Structure formats: C-alpha cells, structure tokens
Amino acid sequence: MAYRVLKRTFALDDEYVEDLKADLIDAKRLAVDEDGKVMVWTGGTTVVSSQLSVARSSQPPASQTSDSGLRTPDAKPQTLDARLEGERRQLTVMFCDLVDSTVLSTHLDPEELREVVRAYQETCTGVIRRYDGHIAQHLGDGLLVYFGYPAAHEDDAQRAVRAGLEIIASLQTRGLSTLSVHPLQVRIGIHTGLVVIGEIGSSEKREILALGETPNLAARIQGQAAPDEVLISAATYHLVEGLFACEDRGRPELKGISTPLTLYRVVKEGEAQNRFQVVARKGLTPLVGREHEYGLLRERWERVKDGAGQVVLLSGEPGIGKSRLVEALKDTVMHEGAPCLELRCSPYAQNSALYPVIGHVQHMLHFQADETPDNKLEKLQHTLSRSRFPQADTLPLLAALLSLPHPAACPPLSLSPQRQKEKTYEAIVAWLCEEARQQAVTYAWEDLHWADPSTLELLTRFLAQVPTTRLLVVLTFRPEFTPPWGVHSYVSQLTLPRFSLE
Ligand SMILES: Nc1ncnc2c1ncn2[C@@H]1O[C@H](COP(=O)(O)OP(=O)(O)OP(=O)(O)O)[C@@H](O)[C@H]1O
Ligand SMILES: [Mg+2]
C-alpha cells in the first residue's frame, strides 16, 4: 500500500507514518519498503491492531477520552485488508459528559451514586436511541455518540443537536437532582466532519472506529461547554442554521487545534421545523414549471369551493418539490382569504402516537410553552364551547390527549381504552371538519412516510368524511409510503416527476 493512501485513509501525520514504518518494517519485519513510496506486506494475514488503530492526530486529548471509541486497546488482531476497507464518510460526533461527577461521588453513598448514574445513562440512551444515534463508547460518565453511522440520515446534524437539547431538558425534568446534592448537569460538544469509519475486532468483541480530526474536535468543543450547554462547531451550525436559535461564542483557543474554529451555543429550538421552512422564511424563489400539477390542485380547490370535498395524494422523492407545490397552493388559497392548515409528521416522532395531530391541536389552541396546564385547559374549554359539533365527553377526552388535568366539572371518563381511543378520534375528526363549516379550507398533511400508525388510522376516518365537506386535503409523502386508501372519485393521485433536462 502506498504511504500516501495509508496517510489519507487513516488521517496519519508524517511522524506517525515514520513510526509505523520503523515498527512494522524494522522491528517486527512484517513488511518491506519499496522506493520509500510503498509498504509491501510480508507478514501473513494479520497485523497487530494497535499499529493502525488510531491516528495519533485523532486521539482525543482529555484523559477521559483516551479510552474512547477512537482507540481499540483490547481489539484482537485482524486482517490488514479489513482495516484498510475503512469507509470515508461525513459524521456528526457528540461528546456528552456529566458535570462534577467527582463532587457527586463524594456527596453520595455508593448505592445512591450508582442509582443516579444509572438513571442518567438511561435518560441519555433513551433520547439518543430515539434520534437514531449510536453510542460508540461509554467513557466513565461520558458518552461518545455518532450520528450518521451505522445509519445515515439526511439530517444527522439536526438529530445530534435535538438529542443534546433533549438530554439536558430530560435530566432537568426527570428530577434526578432530588437524589443528589447538586442538580445533574451535562456538557455537550458537537462537530460534523469527515472520518474514516469501520468495524474492527474479533467475533467476541467488535468495535467501531472513527478516525480523523472530527471526534477530536468534538471532544475539544465539549471541553469548552458550560454546564447544561450544547456547543457546536461552525460546520454543524451551517447544517442546522435557522432550525435553532444559536449564540455566536467566538473562536476560543482549542488545545492542539491550529485553525481557530467559531463555536455556537444552541439556545433553543427555532420556529422553523424543517429545512423547507428555513428556506421559505428567507423568501422562496418563484415556482418553476409544475404547471400541470399546480393546475390540478387549483382545479380541485374550485370543486371544493362548490361543495365537493377533494383529496390529493402528492408523492415524490425527497427534494422533488412537494412542499414547494403545497406552498404555491397555500399562496393562492390564502390570497382568497381561506384558511390553509398544516399537519406535519416528524422523523423524530414516528413512535409517538398522534404526534402531528396533537401538534396541530396545540397550534390551533395557541398554546405557549410556558403556559400552565390549567391555562391550557381553559383555552381548550373556551374553544370547544364555541364549536357546534356534538361534544359529549369531548372536553375530558381532548384534555387527556393533550396531557392536561381532568376538568373538574366533568365526571371521570369510564370508557375502555379502545372506546376512549374511538371517541377521541371521533372528536378530532369532528373538529377538523368543523373548520370547513363556514368556508372552504385546505389541509396539508405533510410527510406521511413518517406518520405513526394512530395518525394514519385517524386520517383514514377523516378522509372518509371529506366528500361531504368543503375540504381540500393534500397529503404529501415519499415513494416508500404506500397509501392504504382505495380508489375513490374524490381522491386524485399526483406523482412529481424529475425535471427533464430538455
Ligand atoms: N418547482 C419548483 N420551483 C422552485 N423551487 C423549487 C421547485 N421544486 C422544488 N423547489 C425548491 O427545492 C427545494 C426542495 O423542495 P421541497 O422542499 O418542496 O421538496 P420535497 O419534495 O417537499 O422534499 P421532502 O421529501 O424532503 O419534503 C426547496 O428549496 C424548494 O423551494
Ligand atoms: Mg417536503
């Protein structure tokens, strides 16, 4: 193998390559040098793993990380070929560490300490798993987490930041502080960059290696974070810009890092829920092409205004322009003074029953994050009192759905879980249809490929009501989703093709 390839594949510096040559060629006599350019392997099929396990340049500097997933101290020997098959890819790496864990250990008895650490790790693991992150290594009380390996997503940076914020919030609300003298806090550092990653080890123990500067930088950034802070590099920031409110933290000196890096503290989630909304806020470029599709949507909207409810299924690959088309329809509809309501499924809530529906109801009720549950209940009660759909049990059912206290004036619900679910669906469908009582309305249900089963069940019931209402319901989804609804005269199917180059 050429030294240049070796250096690039494992992000080795010149000095380390020299050490490697000295060890493998001169000391162990497992390889020979050719023209100073190529190392030819002569030592059979195995190589001692520590030889190539980690580029010295990628070794995290803090003592706590010396044993991280970047190193494989106890990895068994394996083939050189397997090592060199390392895959080059972009990865978002998160380091999360417990603040003052030594102080904690002096204030708690070992039993309590074990309980606290276990609860802390459970909290982190739960959150990370939900965002499909991979815990590469437990580093004492710290965690080394990969977003983008083994499973890659289009939004790994976003997932990492969301996970970071949620770990902090979950630790604060889980009440772990009641057990310990100090409230449990963490520091979180995140960076996105290229790594070489690959699985190594024997059948008994397999480990994942991320080689390169990226994990090293993430560790350094974490070291700069204050307690309960998510600190991200400029590279990660550019991938999540607009989705989170961030504060520029300048370019602090990071030990061992020669190029200064701008860091950002993530303050909170932003208003935009996805990249499309970020772009939309900056101003959309005019709609290009799609005359046929846009024409069909407009024509269906005209039918709806004449009293014939319509459903349009809008499918297509990621980024093909589904949301852009919905936005164009929204412009038209809102220009006419008609409401355009939105329900969005989320890749992070596919296992959270009725997530998009609950989000929509909360939005309709103008709930604020810092509002008390009693206030929210009052808003719900007030809104329902103005509606005309049948309301037996509606208030307590929707209060339960929104995790609000049971209304004092209502008798307790004495329904079986199945019956309660049925009646909740009925109440929501009635409410959604109620919106179209006075005028024609458009509903866009976006990204159904991420819908949870309960949402689809409710949607099916809602769609059955559409023909007799003044509703235009547009459903968007990617090709992996197969609509479970049969063919009906009021349902149209549109698949967005790619633009041809002609
Ligand atoms: N016909 C178009 N005219 C102008 N801009 C477009 C058009 N189609 C797509 N775009 C732009 O391309 C980007 C991606 O489009 P969009 O978000 O609508 O895709 P999508 O099909 O909804 O993808 P996803 O499945 O990821 O939600 C957006 O910035 C959008 O404004
Ligand atoms: Mg979209």
Side-chain angles (χ1 to χ4, degrees), residues 274 276 317-324 326 344 446-447 449-450 476-478:
N274 55 32
F276 182 82
E317 293 166 21
I320 201 85
K322 302 181 291 295
S323 299
R324 183 66 189 85
V326 169
R344 276 184 187 280
E446 282 253 45
D447 301 323
H449 44 279
W450 291 319
T476 72
F477 50 90
R478 295 180 183 172

Side-chain angles (χ1 to χ4, degrees), residues 391-412:
Q391 291 194 25
D393 286 344
T394 300
L395 178 63
L397 284 169
L398 294 185
L401 177 76
L402 298 170
S403 310
L404 299 177
H406 185 81
C410 300

Side-chain angles (χ1 to χ4, degrees), residues 187-499:
R187 299 173 202 274
I188 293 176
I190 299 173
H191 176 53
T192 308
L194 278 181
V195 297
V196 174
I197 197 156
E199 230 178 335
I200 66 140
S202 66
S203 52
E204 300 105 70
K205 188 168 171 66
R206 298 192 75 77
E207 275 191 304
I208 289 162
L209 280 180
L211 309 174
E213 277 289 293
T214 302
N216 188 20
L217 276 170
R220 289 298 194 200
I221 293 167
Q222 185 246 287
Q224 291 286 325
D228 277 358
E229 225 177 59
V230 177
L231 207 55
I232 63 178
S233 67
T236 306
Y237 173 75
H238 291 308
L239 294 169
V240 302
E241 199 179 349
L243 294 167
F244 301 92
C246 296
E247 181 186 288
D248 188 327
R249 290 285 287 271
R251 299 176 162 203
E253 205 170 297
L254 300 178
K255 202 169 156 225
I257 309 295
S258 49
T259 325
L261 271 185
T262 306
L263 302 185
Y264 294 83
R265 176 172 86 92
V266 183
V267 182
K268 59 175 185 177
E269 216 177 302
E271 301 260 297
Q273 290 175 340
N274 55 32
R275 302 293 324 162
F276 182 82
Q277 289 185 350
V278 173
V279 174
R281 265 155 223 267
K282 287 181 183 165
L284 288 172
T285 51
L287 182 71
V288 178
R290 304 296 188 208
E291 289 85 6
H292 164 69
E293 293 84 357
Y294 178 63
L296 185 136
L297 286 171
R298 289 218 45 176
E299 193 274 332
R300 294 299 186 269
W301 175 236
E302 293 303 320
R303 286 196 206 181
V304 167
K305 286 191 286 183
D306 290 339
Q310 298 290 313
V311 177
V312 179
L313 308 179
L314 187 56
S315 69
E317 293 166 21
I320 201 85
K322 302 181 291 295
S323 299
R324 183 66 189 85
L325 203 52
V326 169
E327 200 63 28
L329 173 72
K330 257 169 82 177
D331 273 355
T332 309
V333 169
M334 287 165 77
H335 199 70
E336 293 177 11
C340 197
L341 307 169
E342 245 180 46
L343 287 88
R344 276 184 187 280
C345 306
S346 160
Y348 318 121
Q350 295 178 63
N351 298 318
S352 177
L354 297 178
Y355 173 86
V357 178
I358 293 172
H360 172 68
V361 171
Q362 289 173 332
H363 180 75
M364 297 288 286
L365 292 169
H366 305 288
F367 281 1
Q368 305 297 321
D370 51 359
E371 223 168 356
T372 65
D374 285 337
N375 253 345
K376 290 179 178 173
L377 187 63
E378 212 167 290
K379 279 184 174 173
L380 174 65
Q381 199 159 5
H382 179 70
T383 305
L384 289 180
S385 67
R386 289 181 309 169
S387 302
R388 295 213 315 207
F389 56 89
Q391 291 194 25
D393 286 344
T394 300
L395 178 63
L397 284 169
L398 294 185
L401 177 76
L402 298 170
S403 310
L404 299 177
H406 185 81
C410 300
L413 287 167
S414 54
L415 303 166
S416 67
Q418 180 59 27
R419 189 76 194 116
Q420 178 160 346
K421 188 176 95 172
E422 297 279 334
K423 303 252 310 174
T424 305
Y425 285 4
E426 265 172 39
I428 295 171
V429 168
W431 190 353
L432 296 178
C433 293
E434 164 91 358
E435 296 297 323
R437 189 165 52 86
Q438 285 178 341
Q439 60 179 333
V441 170
T442 294
Y443 268 107
W445 292 58
E446 282 253 45
D447 301 323
L448 287 184
H449 44 279
W450 291 319
D452 61 280
S454 306
T455 293
L456 289 178
E457 217 179 315
L458 188 146
L459 176 58
T460 302
R461 288 170 200 221
F462 175 50
L463 294 184
Q465 303 291 318
V466 167
T468 55
T469 60
R470 277 185 295 172
L471 282 172
L472 171 58
V473 182
V474 182
L475 309 173
T476 72
F477 50 90
R478 295 180 183 172
E480 64 261 29
F481 177 78
T482 309
W485 310 290
V487 180
H488 296 283
S489 58
Y490 61 94
V491 179
S492 323
Q493 167 97 43
L494 264 183
T495 303
L496 288 191
R498 290 191 189 170
F499 285 114

